[in-house]
Amino acid sequence: MRSYIIDKLYERVEKRGVVCVGLDTALEYVPEHIREGRTPAEAIFQFNKEIIDSTCDIAACFKVQIAYYEALGLEGLTAYKRTLDYLRKKDQIIIADIKRGDIAATAKMYAKAHFQGDFEADFITLSPYMGMDSIEPYLPYLESGNKGVFSLVRTSNKGAEDIEYLDTTFNKKVYEVVADKITEMGEDYIGECGYTAIGGVIGCTHVEEGKKIRANYNSMFFLIPGYGAQGGKAEDVALYLNNGNGGVVNSSRGILLAYKKENRAKEFSLCAREEVIKMRDAIREAVKRA
Amino acid sequence: MRSYIIDKLYERVEKRGVVCVGLDTALEYVPEHIREGRTPAEAIFQFNKEIIDSTCDIAACFKVQIAYYEALGLEGLTAYKRTLDYLRKKDQIIIADIKRGDIAATAKMYAKAHFQGDFEADFITLSPYMGMDSIEPYLPYLESGNKGVFSLVRTSNKGAEDIEYLDTTFNKKVYEVVADKITEMGEDYIGECGYTAIGGVIGCTHVEEGKKIRANYNSMFFLIPGYGAQGGKAEDVALYLNNGNGGVVNSSRGILLAYKKENRAKEFSLCAREEVIKMRDAIREAVKRA
């Protein structure tokens, strides 16, 4: 038994709760007073910085959705790098939500891109469509103990039915085949907490399957999107956790835009903090009841 | 019937042949005399520029693999942007090989990132794992007639067996389900050439299935990787084409590193040109024989 990055994430959840703050920051989310006198990329960074300052003692980790930054080109990716740098400076765990999926030399390049250098993160998300050789090139980094991945497994969008939910001829759905394969691959990277550094992205909206998935993949740490804005509730999420750990629950717009509900633009970061606490406590309560 | 970007690509193939030049440019591919006095990113751009100048009258299009540029961080993405800008200036068709796969607001951000602004390309590659709602957000751009996508369908790596080749309970493999779905979605974007602006990435190494795939998905334009360095041969490729059109065949290392076989580093761009011609003619001959 040795220590992996997943142990650090597990500890954070124990201490701070399961909330993963999603920095999917679109320019239109940023209040006017922050935008004033700043370029779009600077405004986005400043917004992120204040959200981070305000939530970093109560967030398990931060998930940064690179698409929002890519959309602003080189300037946007500069804001992305600055956000990652700031999170690292504050000793926060970073999940880079990049959903890259490629093989061989190309995957090695993505590993280099997102596990070192300008865009270094602690965890990255991956898409497994091309097969397990789209995950393997990242394993040497996991071996170091400092890095981890989350493979897409089963998501909560409507289109999940198109491929992830297809029934295969050996009595498993496609997403179950994926889950089986990454579980097997993850066995070599199980940390002291009992979870492996190869996690899975598991949407939380198919409530009826929650307990089954949790039981079947007990060594898999879940990255659970879809809370709040996408419809997931605390009661649903609780089913995907083991006594309130074994996963982190992401909310992006629900946290970043909490200020809009009460028209408190000047206090956007305080509103974000209140929302994280509300979400954390709602899930804690739901776990107790479950 | 109206005109789409796929018509332009079809025309290029008619005039120039099927070769897609893959600019998967790693720093170690760049000869010493180009690297001298340049930063890594500058050296990569200069190398690409000379390859483009030397092959742009005989290449159907260029595929730029973003992972190689992401690996060098912001500097690398500057070289990526400069490469795309240069290709556009030379009126070349650009396929951005990004294999992004996400949904809803995030996919819209990726569309914005790669269909306009700093990283604008003509075509992008996408991963369909999350379902058809990971393709739909790009359709408004296709509607304009100026943009197209290639969805991963069936690749030529070993891991393709893991998911793409799974048999589903309704007598189709996963990749066939994907191909059916994108074919259906593509029906609204069929150009004058008879192909749709929603193409498919189809590896060329499973020879026995070539004719069947070509016949079953007759409106689908194929992006065919795996030539040369990855083992595909002209005879194999010919089976995936309709009289030498209906697809482009990518080679990256085979073209970029042609100079290494003959130790002609100073003439790397001429060697690339010779390789493109050799590949183009070999496929033409194979099409005639097929």
Side-chain angles (χ1 to χ4, degrees):
Chain A
M1 204 68 88
R2 53 169 289 199
S3 181
Y4 288 99
I5 182 75
I6 198 69
D7 294 309
K8 188 174 172 183
L9 184 54
Y10 180 90
E11 279 302 309
R12 290 279 161 100
V13 173
E14 282 295 292
K15 282 182 194 152
R16 302 182 186 173
V18 292
V19 179
C20 171
V21 173
L23 296 172
D24 306 19
T25 311
L27 184 61
E28 56 267 33
Y29 299 174
V30 180
E32 195 51 42
H33 72 281
I34 299 290
R35 281 197 247 176
E36 257 175 39
R38 290 191 171 93
T39 66
E42 281 169 359
I44 285 171
F45 172 68
Q46 184 63 29
F47 179 83
N48 286 349
K49 183 170 175 296
E50 295 189 28
I51 295 278
I52 294 163
D53 285 340
S54 176
T55 61
C56 66
D57 60 321
I58 50 175
C61 58
F62 290 79
K63 180 172 85 61
V64 193
Q65 172 48 263
I66 197 170
Y68 284 71
Y69 305 84
E70 274 184 42
L72 293 175
L74 290 168
E75 287 286 317
L77 287 162
T78 304
Y80 178 76
K81 172 184 160 38
R82 289 180 72 196
T83 300
L84 267 47
D85 287 348
Y86 192 71
L87 286 167
R88 196 172 307 105
K89 192 177 137 193
K90 303 278 277 188
D91 189 30
Q92 300 303 306
I93 295 176
I94 305 166
I95 302 174
D97 195 0
I98 59 174
K99 298 191 182 72
R100 301 302 193 248
D102 216 311
I103 54 161
T106 304
K108 279 185 196 167
M109 286 292 172
Y110 278 133
K112 197 177 158 195
H114 299 282
F115 279 153
Q116 61 185 72
D118 281 350
F119 307 136
E120 182 176 354
D122 300 304
F123 289 89
I124 60 175
T125 58
L126 296 174
S127 173
Y129 183 75
M130 293 179 79
M132 289 307 107
D133 48 7
S134 64
I135 313 287
E136 278 157 16
Y138 301 89
L139 299 182
Y141 289 87
L142 271 56
E143 197 58 54
S144 77
N146 300 319
K147 303 296 177 195
V149 300
F150 288 97
S151 169
L152 286 176
V153 173
R154 198 213 59 186
T155 54
S156 51
N157 56 308
K158 192 167 175 300
E161 309 286 334
D162 293 333
I163 299 171
E164 298 170 17
Y165 271 83
L166 290 174
D167 288 306
T168 69
T169 49
F170 42 100
N171 210 19
K172 292 197 183 249
K173 295 183 187 301
V174 167
Y175 85 75
E176 292 172 313
V177 175
V178 171
D180 288 349
K181 285 184 189 294
I182 66 165
T183 298
E184 193 189 335
M185 192 179 263
E187 278 168 11
D188 292 338
Y189 307 94
I190 293 180
E192 291 159 0
C193 63
Y195 294 97
T196 130
I198 304 182
V201 178
I202 304 275
C204 78
T205 51
H206 299 263
V207 182
E208 68 289 353
E209 294 166 350
K211 282 193 176 169
K212 188 180 145 204
I213 286 191
R214 185 63 282 177
N216 284 351
Y217 303 107
N218 220 26
S219 65
M220 193 190 295
F221 201 91
F222 295 166
L223 170 56
I224 306 170
Y227 192 87
Q230 289 175 52
K233 295 190 192 79
E235 292 68 33
D236 307 344
V237 164
L239 304 175
Y240 290 88
L241 299 171
N242 278 326
N243 298 319
N245 207 322
V248 289
V249 184
N250 183 76
S251 171
S252 301
R253 273 167 292 175
I255 294 169
L256 304 184
L257 298 181
Y259 74 87
K260 289 208 170 176
K261 281 184 290 188
E262 303 170 57
N263 237 333
R264 291 164 65 197
K266 295 274 185 194
E267 298 180 296
F268 73 90
S269 62
L270 181 59
C271 294
R273 182 178 178 83
E274 289 167 5
E275 183 65 26
V276 171
I277 291 171
K278 207 170 107 187
M279 180 177 159
R280 179 196 67 186
D281 292 349
I283 296 170
R284 273 191 183 151
E285 286 306 311
V287 165
K288 278 185 208 158
R289 286 195 304 274
Chain B
M1 204 68 86
R2 52 170 291 198
S3 182
Y4 287 99
I5 181 77
I6 199 71
D7 294 309
K8 188 172 172 185
L9 184 54
Y10 181 90
E11 278 302 310
R12 290 280 161 98
V13 172
E14 282 297 292
K15 282 183 193 149
R16 302 180 185 173
V18 292
V19 178
C20 170
V21 174
L23 296 173
D24 307 18
T25 312
L27 184 61
E28 56 266 33
Y29 298 174
V30 180
E32 195 51 42
H33 72 281
I34 299 289
R35 281 198 248 177
E36 258 175 40
R38 289 191 172 93
T39 66
E42 283 169 358
I44 285 171
F45 172 68
Q46 184 62 29
F47 179 82
N48 286 349
K49 184 171 175 296
E50 296 189 28
I51 295 278
I52 294 164
D53 286 340
S54 176
T55 60
C56 66
D57 60 321
I58 50 174
C61 59
F62 290 79
K63 181 172 83 62
V64 193
Q65 172 49 261
I66 197 170
Y68 284 72
Y69 304 85
E70 274 184 41
L72 294 175
L74 290 167
E75 287 285 317
L77 287 162
T78 303
Y80 178 76
K81 172 184 160 39
R82 291 181 71 195
T83 300
L84 266 48
D85 287 347
Y86 192 71
L87 285 166
R88 195 172 308 108
K89 192 177 137 193
K90 303 278 276 189
D91 188 30
Q92 300 302 308
I93 295 175
I94 305 167
I95 301 173
D97 196 359
I98 59 175
K99 297 190 182 73
R100 300 302 191 249
D102 216 311
I103 54 161
T106 304
K108 279 184 196 166
M109 287 291 171
Y110 278 133
K112 195 176 159 197
H114 299 282
F115 279 153
Q116 61 186 72
D118 280 350
F119 307 137
E120 184 177 353
D122 301 303
F123 289 89
I124 59 175
T125 58
L126 295 174
S127 173
Y129 182 76
M130 293 178 78
M132 288 308 106
D133 48 6
S134 63
I135 313 287
E136 278 157 16
Y138 301 90
L139 299 182
Y141 290 87
L142 270 56
E143 198 58 53
S144 76
N146 301 320
K147 303 295 176 195
V149 299
F150 287 97
S151 168
L152 286 176
V153 174
R154 199 212 58 184
T155 54
S156 51
N157 55 309
K158 192 167 174 301
E161 311 286 334
D162 293 333
I163 298 171
E164 299 170 17
Y165 272 83
L166 290 174
D167 288 305
T168 69
T169 49
F170 42 101
N171 210 19
K172 294 199 182 247
K173 294 182 188 301
V174 165
Y175 83 77
E176 292 171 315
V177 175
V178 172
D180 288 349
K181 285 183 189 293
I182 66 166
T183 298
E184 193 190 335
M185 190 179 265
E187 277 168 12
D188 293 336
Y189 307 94
I190 293 180
E192 292 159 357
C193 63
Y195 294 97
T196 132
I198 304 181
V201 177
I202 303 274
C204 79
T205 51
H206 299 262
V207 182
E208 68 290 352
E209 295 167 350
K211 281 192 177 171
K212 188 181 144 204
I213 285 192
R214 185 63 283 178
N216 284 353
Y217 304 106
N218 220 26
S219 66
M220 193 190 295
F221 202 92
F222 295 165
L223 169 57
I224 306 169
Y227 192 87
Q230 288 176 51
K233 295 191 191 77
E235 291 70 32
D236 308 342
V237 164
L239 303 174
Y240 290 88
L241 299 171
N242 278 327
N243 298 319
N245 208 322
V248 288
V249 184
N250 183 76
S251 171
S252 301
R253 273 166 292 174
I255 294 169
L256 305 183
L257 298 182
Y259 75 86
K260 288 206 170 176
K261 282 185 289 191
E262 301 170 59
N263 235 332
R264 293 162 65 197
K266 294 275 183 193
E267 297 179 298
F268 73 91
S269 62
L270 181 60
C271 295
R273 182 177 178 84
E274 290 167 5
E275 184 65 25
V276 171
I277 292 171
K278 207 171 107 187
M279 182 177 156
R280 179 195 69 187
D281 292 348
I283 296 171
R284 274 190 182 150
E285 286 305 311
V287 166
K288 279 185 207 158
R289 285 194 306 273

